Amino acid sequence: MQLFGAYAVLLAFVLAVYAFVAGVVGHLRRRRRLIVSAERATLAVFPALTVAVLCLIGLIFRNDFTVAYIAEHSNRALPFYFKIAVLWSGQEGSLLFWSWLLSGYAFVVLLGGRLRPGRAADELSPKHAHRALVPLASVILAGVEVFFLALNNFAASAFASLPVGTPADGNGLNPLLQYSQMDIHPPLLYLGYVGFAVPFAFCLAALLKRYPGDRWIHITRRWTMVAWLFLTIGIVLGGLWAYKVLGWGGYWAWDPVENAAFLPWLTGTAFLHSVMMQEKRGMLKIWNVWLVFATFLLAIFGDFLTRSGLVSSVHAFAQSSIGGWFVIFLAIAVAVCLAAFFKNKDFLKSENPLESTASREAGFLFNNFVLLVAAFAILWGTLFPVISEWVEGQKISVGRVFFDRINVPIFLFLLFLTGVGPLLAWRRTSAASLKRNFLGPAILGAAVLALCLAMGWRDPYPLVCFALAAFVLAIVAMEFYRGARVLSRRSRRGLALSAVELTMRNTRRYGGYIIHVGIVLLAVGIAGSGFNQQTEGPMPYRAKLAVGPYTLTSLAYTQDDNANFSSEALIVRVDQGGREIATMYPSRRFYKASNQTQSMVADRSTLLSDLYLVYAGDDPETNQPILHAYWNPLIAWIWIGALVIGFGTIIALLPSRTAAARRENPPARVAETAEVAQV
Amino acid sequence: MTLLAAFACVFFTALAAWFVFAGDERLPEDSPAAARLRALRERKQAIYDNLRDLHFEFLAGKLAQPDYQRSRQMLETEAARVVREIQRCGEAS
Amino acid sequence: MQVRFASRPLRRISLALALLGLFTAGLRGDPVAERYHRLAAKLRCVCPCHQSMLSECSNMQCSARAQLDAAMVKLSQKVRSGDSDELILQAFVQEFGPEVLAAPPTHGFSLVVWIMPWVAAGLGLWALLAVLHYWRAQRPSAEPATAPAAPAGDGDPALARVQAEIARELGDWERRE
Ligand code: HEM
């Protein structure tokens, strides 16, 4: 199975190389047979890699420790649902996984975009127009795949044997990864990262082909949304994992690897907005192309950061030599982007000038500006340690303090824009329209601000955040209400039903608004950290500790043991206002295979606040257990906000009802045919 | 075991080669003229969509009357430009 | 089975002495403990993982507990001996390098890290405004209905057709529901 797996990876590599070379030659020389065979080779990479991945999973489940990768990352006692996670928890396996996902994306794109044999070529209906790009896009995807498969084969093979002998048991999976979130967080994150290759491929293909029309931008937007959705959920799950597992009471540490995932998210978000300028008004084409390029390059760059050991991080893989490969690939990719751009720049001319600074167009420009400034600040802070080492010879660490201080104001401004943007009309908005739209929400925001001040809160950032949250929510609610009112007047149906219909008529806009609501909830959850409380103390029997509104009492101490780990837990009673409300069990585990100790957080989460307990270990002198207690207000809203974002994104990905109906029976086309006939 | 694996390898290689070279699909492509005409129609469609949207926002009460009139006029002019272009392309082809 | 936790007696005893002092002093209101925490929040965990603040990295995740514990002891001793904050932080930088500071200092070369985002923001804003200005300058100055590209409505069959189509469609839309 080991040999066969290695063979499958090699076969996939050969196929990808063929697909790339034959595709390039075929497109340059316009040879249909070559292009078709290249497409088919791209398709075939996916089954080949699926076989390889299945082989690796089979080997993991068979506890075949002759395979170096498995000996290093798995062990016999590991429960089966974590054995799956072994696939992506080390460098080699996760690279294979990455290639497999990429081939899967290519597979889906190709299946959706090929014509059956014999169909006439110029039968492309408007709906299928983007298919003309698929052959070239698949070559570009194959090119990206060649790089990753080269790594899989020649730099980091998951199927390599140990140099000598076979150990009786493996070293085990890193205990930090033995959590259910870790079974889904990495795959989702990877789906996001890898997914940006698809819009990149379509965008580059359109540019190279100078493909007329805006279809390519629709398809690019669609795939960006898909990747963006996975990335968003992946990032938030990563935060959830950090929160529930790392035990420092927070969820986001501005760690280089977290930043690496955040960067393409920011540029991707910017693109999702600026793309509307191109679709609606034929503007900003050059900018959009570069946003797509940048998003893809940043995704690869993020992978590079995670894998090369350039910057230190808890999440990173062990230091390795594959950084050089990434640098070469990135250099080639940048060169290709630049060349394609300069060769075809004139193809990207804008069709319309901007008419007013008080217009939605201008709002999107500001949105893009803010998102890119944030992306730059984060990239800069992440790379600064490396820069300072070059310049000064000493590494300066740029941590949470820096990123918080720089980013909080930027994101508050973004939140403000999230409210303002949708109310500006396309083209121009007069003062009268502005007043009509903003007065109510602005008053509500001010009222919330006043209320917060009256509560005695003085920390400016959370205050501003709450006020802006109210402002944005009011605007979104108003948008839904006003739209629904128009529909309900016509149909005489209730407002709620009309709001649903409204959403389905223009999924994109109202899905977008739902996403904005999710962002607001997330922001509220983050602002809650301004009120965090934290304390720690020894907790012998009957000892008490106060945090937030709670009193904690240590009741007892238990121990447990199984094949994978042994554990000890504190039993803590939680009282609020003199009444017992819960019993919690913060514990610690000792994992036998990897010889590592791990604190298991106990977290009691409510909509208002979390009580978060960490059993930090025993005091060496007194042998008393030490407890860290955190009171984290509003954290649950971060996870809720993420769910709302996911829901909104799915809505925005659905086809709009009116658009779908029109496509089936396009009235405008009929009219045009008449026009043309008349002339 | 090794023999079996070797067989499997040969078999799959042959299968892959067959699959790659057996295809004879047409490519989804249209002539430059057709593509241009289609692009123009898309543009027109987009402008009509904008107009519908604008109208809806006006009905919802988001726009003052003069803003609406002005934008509608501009969009109509833009659409007329595209329609003329479509007519020209139709003549040419 | 008794759970085993790595233990090195000497370091543990000293840590215990130091931390116990702080805990038993009672956390609230004690100026020494407060200073300890304030300073700990300015220092990073010194273990190789470099993932959090000195004050937060205390739950045995680190592979280099010894170093971390020693650092915490050192910090508590220095706080006790009454050195100024500056001096204490400086001593840490000397021992562990500038990496130990949670935030880059605001002088010397690392000032650049603080300034650059705002420089970039300024440049970006300037570019943005320049683009807006350029676009507005390009805008057809006359009202669109009389712009040269589009002669007046009645003279232009295309415009008339579009207007009729639009009127029909929007009217339809209103009647349909
Ligand atoms: C982090 C902040 C933001 C996120 C994650 C976000 C995300 C999104 C997403 C995913 C969509 C749906 C796009 C589509 O379906 O193609 C959307 C729509 C929209 N966004 Fe944002 N957005 C954010 C901030 C902003 C800001 C600052 C503005 C202000 C200009 C804005 C204005 C809009 C508008 C106007 C729409 C609806 C477009 C339509 O009419 O179809 N957003 N947003």
Side-chain angles (χ1 to χ4, degrees):
Chain A
M1 196 145 41
Q2 184 186 355
L3 265 182
F4 191 61
Y7 153 78
V9 181
L10 190 61
L11 177 65
F13 176 68
V14 173
L15 285 168
V17 169
Y18 175 78
F20 182 62
V21 175
V24 170
V25 174
H27 278 279
L28 285 179
R29 298 261 162 97
R30 303 187 185 285
R31 297 281 154 77
R32 186 174 61 92
R33 289 302 288 260
L34 268 185
I35 295 176
V36 168
S37 69
E39 246 186 48
R40 290 181 149 244
T42 312
L43 265 180
V45 172
F46 178 61
L49 280 180
T50 307
V51 169
V53 166
L54 287 177
C55 281
L56 188 57
I57 292 177
L59 290 167
I60 293 168
F61 276 91
R62 280 199 351 206
N63 294 314
D64 191 333
F65 299 119
T66 30
V67 182
Y69 180 72
I70 298 175
E72 225 162 273
H73 297 284
S74 184
N75 63 306
R76 289 180 193 279
L78 194 67
F80 75 93
Y81 42 88
F82 290 137
K83 284 206 157 142
I84 288 283
V86 172
L87 179 59
W88 53 74
S89 50
Q91 177 86 275
E92 295 84 2
S94 70
L95 269 173
L96 180 62
F97 187 60
W98 180 292
S99 300
W100 180 63
L101 291 179
L102 182 58
S103 69
Y105 269 114
F107 191 76
V108 174
V109 167
L110 276 171
L111 278 195
R114 297 168 81 237
L115 282 194
R116 299 292 142 260
R119 280 268 290 277
D122 45 5
E123 250 179 36
L124 286 180
S125 66
K127 191 178 155 196
H128 296 131
H130 70 268
R131 289 191 176 177
L133 290 174
V134 169
L136 189 53
S138 88
V139 175
I140 295 162
L141 286 174
V144 179
E145 187 77 295
V146 166
F147 165 67
F148 283 101
L149 281 168
L151 291 180
N152 294 145
N153 279 288
F154 311 118
S157 171
F159 292 99
S161 298
L162 277 177
V164 278
T166 306
D169 199 355
N171 291 340
L173 184 62
N174 183 342
L176 287 174
L177 304 182
Q178 298 194 25
Y179 289 86
S180 54
Q181 293 96 337
M182 265 298 161
D183 261 353
I184 40 175
H185 155 65
L188 284 176
L189 200 60
Y190 280 18
L191 273 171
Y193 268 133
V194 178
F196 285 126
V198 180
F200 170 74
F202 273 107
C203 181
L204 190 56
L207 188 59
L208 289 172
K209 260 184 104 124
R210 308 173 65 85
Y211 193 65
D214 285 336
R215 274 283 142 186
W216 67 271
I217 200 86
H218 297 322
I219 191 80
T220 305
R221 171 230 164 210
R222 209 152 233 290
W223 280 103
T224 305
M225 285 284 273
V226 172
W228 187 87
L229 172 64
F230 285 128
L231 189 63
T232 310
I233 305 287
I235 289 174
V236 175
L237 272 176
L240 185 63
W241 168 77
Y243 182 63
K244 300 274 186 194
V245 172
L246 293 183
W248 56 274
Y251 41 83
W252 187 264
W254 296 108
D255 171 279
V257 168
E258 294 167 355
N259 296 348
F262 200 30
L263 289 172
W265 188 89
L266 289 169
T267 51
T269 308
F271 171 73
L272 284 178
H273 290 93
S274 68
V275 72
M276 288 182 238
M277 304 263 284
Q278 180 164 354
E279 286 175 301
K280 299 227 169 203
R281 312 266 347 260
M283 299 165 83
L284 283 191
K285 293 180 182 178
I286 293 177
W287 180 245
N288 283 331
V289 162
W290 276 105
L291 276 181
V292 177
F293 288 172
T295 305
F296 171 72
L297 294 172
L298 282 172
I300 299 287
F301 179 75
D303 197 33
F304 161 67
L305 276 190
T306 318
R307 294 174 186 282
S308 64
L310 180 70
V311 287
S312 52
S313 154
V314 251
H315 307 278
F317 293 103
Q319 193 120 9
S320 84
S321 57
I322 67 173
W325 292 72
F326 272 92
V327 172
I328 292 170
F329 178 66
L330 276 170
I332 293 175
V334 170
V336 168
C337 292
L338 283 171
F341 172 72
F342 281 110
K343 189 156 166 292
N344 299 299
K345 201 165 58 171
D346 54 322
F347 160 68
L348 297 170
K349 272 208 314 276
S350 240
E351 288 155 32
N352 288 296
L354 184 89
E355 273 137 31
S356 160
T357 20
S359 63
R360 189 167 294 179
E361 290 91 326
F364 281 145
L365 286 185
F366 275 95
N367 154 313
N368 270 236
F369 159 71
V370 174
L371 285 166
L372 274 132
V373 167
F376 173 79
I378 293 168
L379 181 65
W380 172 249
T382 308
L383 289 183
F384 193 76
V386 182
I387 298 173
S388 77
E389 200 168 19
W390 281 342
V391 175
E392 280 205 309
Q394 48 176 234
K395 238 184 172 137
I396 285 175
S397 70
V398 181
R400 242 156 63 216
V401 179
F402 169 81
F403 289 108
D404 280 344
R405 210 170 291 162
I406 298 278
N407 281 304
V408 169
I410 295 180
F411 281 100
L412 283 177
F413 185 54
L414 192 64
L415 196 57
F416 169 71
L417 283 180
T418 311
V420 174
L423 283 191
L424 297 172
W426 288 102
R427 289 153 186 285
R428 61 167 51 246
T429 310
S430 65
S433 303
L434 280 179
K435 194 175 140 204
R436 173 192 294 227
N437 291 330
F438 284 104
L439 201 57
I443 289 176
L444 188 74
V448 168
L449 190 63
L451 188 73
C452 291
L453 284 172
M455 303 266 286
W457 298 341
R458 289 293 175 270
D459 194 356
Y461 284 149
L463 288 189
V464 173
C465 185
F466 290 146
L468 286 175
F471 174 69
V472 179
L473 285 181
I475 284 173
V476 174
M478 205 163 73
E479 282 283 287
F480 271 96
Y481 169 70
R482 293 208 284 209
R485 199 179 47 184
V486 175
L487 290 185
S488 101
R489 264 196 220 132
R490 269 160 232 297
S491 64
R492 304 209 159 53
R493 262 182 275 173
L495 270 180
L497 261 179
S498 300
V500 173
E501 196 199 325
L502 181 72
T503 310
M504 296 323 285
R505 288 175 78 101
N506 192 345
T507 50
R508 194 150 165 208
R509 158 153 329 150
Y510 294 97
Y513 290 165
I514 295 174
I515 294 168
H516 288 176
V517 170
I519 292 285
V520 168
L521 297 181
L522 213 136
V524 166
I526 293 170
S529 65
F531 303 91
N532 283 357
Q533 287 185 21
Q534 169 196 348
T535 180
E536 59 202 39
M539 286 295 262
Y541 181 61
R542 288 275 160 218
K544 286 195 191 310
L545 195 63
V547 63
Y550 304 113
T551 311
L552 312 174
T553 313
S554 169
L555 290 188
Y557 174 86
T558 65
Q559 293 186 340
D560 197 10
D561 192 35
N562 68 28
N564 196 19
F565 57 80
S566 56
S567 70
E568 48 179 5
L570 280 180
I571 302 179
V572 178
R573 197 182 76 204
V574 183
D575 296 274
Q576 182 178 17
R579 205 164 50 83
E580 176 176 347
I581 54 166
T583 311
M584 291 170 68
Y585 307 89
S587 66
R588 291 158 57 66
R589 285 183 184 169
F590 178 78
Y591 285 87
K592 295 168 184 174
S594 55
N595 229 344
Q596 291 188 50
T597 306
Q598 169 72 33
S599 291
M600 306 295 288
V601 173
D603 180 34
R604 180 176 180 278
S605 186
T606 66
L607 290 183
L608 275 183
S609 67
D610 277 25
L611 177 59
Y612 181 100
L613 304 181
V614 182
Y615 175 12
D618 295 333
D619 190 303
E621 176 80 342
T622 58
N623 239 358
Q624 287 174 348
I626 291 184
L627 187 70
H628 288 208
Y630 300 78
W631 182 62
N632 298 333
L634 298 178
I635 273 205
W637 291 98
I638 294 177
W639 326 127
I640 296 172
L643 283 178
V644 174
I645 293 174
F647 174 70
T649 314
I650 289 169
I651 297 266
L653 273 169
L654 295 173
S656 287
R657 207 182 268 161
T658 43
R662 219 178 307 122
R663 226 180 285 126
E664 275 157 28
N665 181 20
R669 266 197 95 181
V670 179
E672 266 156 31
T673 345
E675 264 159 36
V676 174
Q678 260 180 13
V679 176
Chain B
M1 190 64 202
T2 325
L3 201 64
L4 194 70
F7 259 124
C9 293
V10 172
F11 174 72
F12 276 102
T13 312
L15 189 69
W18 171 78
F19 175 77
V20 168
F21 294 109
D24 190 20
E25 293 96 332
R26 286 171 165 278
L27 290 177
E29 221 155 16
D30 37 18
S31 65
R36 167 133 181 81
L37 198 58
R38 203 199 48 248
L40 284 169
R41 289 197 178 121
E42 281 167 11
R43 193 74 234 140
K44 180 180 168 195
Q45 200 57 61
I47 298 171
Y48 273 40
D49 281 344
N50 289 350
L51 267 159
R52 271 184 215 102
D53 214 46
L54 181 76
H55 187 64
F56 190 80
E57 301 221 311
F58 175 61
L59 290 180
K62 271 176 77 176
L63 289 169
Q65 177 84 22
D67 281 0
Y68 169 65
Q69 286 299 354
R70 211 187 131 87
S71 289
R72 179 163 171 176
Q73 226 167 42
M74 284 199 281
L75 280 168
E76 284 174 350
T77 324
E78 209 178 315
R81 202 163 50 222
V82 175
V83 165
R84 268 198 302 278
E85 193 69 28
I86 290 175
Q87 286 172 340
R88 234 198 326 277
C89 283
E91 271 166 43
S93 65
Chain C
M1 182 198 117
Q2 182 55 50
V3 180
R4 297 160 288 162
F5 293 121
S7 143
R8 273 185 223 118
L10 241 175
R11 139 188 147 226
R12 304 204 118 201
I13 288 168
S14 52
L15 173 69
L17 285 177
L19 293 185
L20 216 90
L22 288 173
F23 289 143
T24 47
L27 286 171
R28 217 137 304 164
D30 179 343
V32 176
E34 251 170 38
R35 254 191 91 203
Y36 171 85
H37 283 282
R38 195 178 63 235
L39 281 168
K42 288 190 176 170
L43 291 167
R44 284 189 132 198
C45 144
V46 289
C47 67
C49 76
H50 266 303
Q51 81 128 29
S52 52
M53 305 300 172
L54 188 56
S55 54
E56 283 163 352
C57 195
S58 35
N59 53 19
M60 309 287 168
Q61 309 250 16
C62 284
S63 43
R65 291 294 307 170
Q67 227 184 348
L68 177 64
D69 291 348
M72 290 172 78
V73 170
K74 186 171 158 202
L75 178 61
S76 69
Q77 283 166 351
K78 290 214 173 266
V79 168
R80 263 157 215 293
S81 68
D83 290 353
S84 77
D85 287 9
E86 275 295 299
L87 260 170
I88 296 178
L89 293 179
Q90 205 130 73
F92 267 80
V93 171
Q94 246 155 40
E95 183 165 350
F96 299 102
E99 266 185 283
V100 76
L101 292 178
T106 47
H107 53 80
F109 177 65
S110 54
L111 186 60
V112 179
V113 74
W114 289 103
I115 290 177
M116 269 306 270
W118 304 119
V119 171
L123 284 178
L125 192 63
W126 174 77
L128 178 79
L129 294 178
V131 167
L132 283 178
H133 187 79
Y134 172 71
W135 278 348
R136 295 199 59 176
Q138 280 206 322
R139 167 176 59 145
S141 48
E143 282 297 293
T146 56
D154 5 55
D156 176 10
L159 182 58
R161 149 164 272 125
V162 165
Q163 280 173 339
E165 236 173 76
I166 299 285
R168 198 172 59 234
E169 234 186 85
L170 296 185
D172 268 2
W173 191 89
E174 262 164 85
R175 249 172 284 129
R176 198 167 53 218
E177 251 108 339

